[in-house]
Amino acid sequence: MSASKYFGLEGHKAIISSLDTKKHRPKIGTRAHQWCQEILDDPPRDWIASLGFGGKVLCQAAKEKNDVDIHTAHVLSQVLPLFVRFS
């Protein structure tokens, strides 16, 4: 889908390799994997416990200001109570 494909293979490779796409990526989440592992190791048993866990991780993420962790914590705080409630 790239317009550079019309410049031939060598031209296309040169243009693509000159683009620095890594500078636009967010920092890797430091807590997201840990939270998911905590849920796996000791899942909340009821709706209130899942709300408490979601609130805890959301506060941690907001304090540390890591975008990936904030998004992960937000999703966990909203979705985890639904999984516990309907299981």
Side-chain angles (χ1 to χ4, degrees), residues 24-75:
H24 300 292
R25 293 184 181 171
K27 287 183 180 179
I28 294 174
T30 57
R31 300 268 190 178
H33 183 266
Q34 175 188 350
W35 296 329
C36 294
Q37 190 63 47
E38 282 181 42
I39 293 169
L40 184 65
D41 292 342
D42 186 24
R45 301 289 178 210
D46 60 11
W47 187 68
I48 299 292
S50 65
L51 285 175
F53 183 82
K56 178 185 84 169
V57 298
L58 197 53
C59 287
Q60 286 177 352
K63 189 184 302 183
E64 295 174 9
K65 296 181 177 24
N66 179 291
D67 289 343
V68 172
D69 285 342
I70 289 172
H71 287 291
T72 303
H74 185 244
V75 168

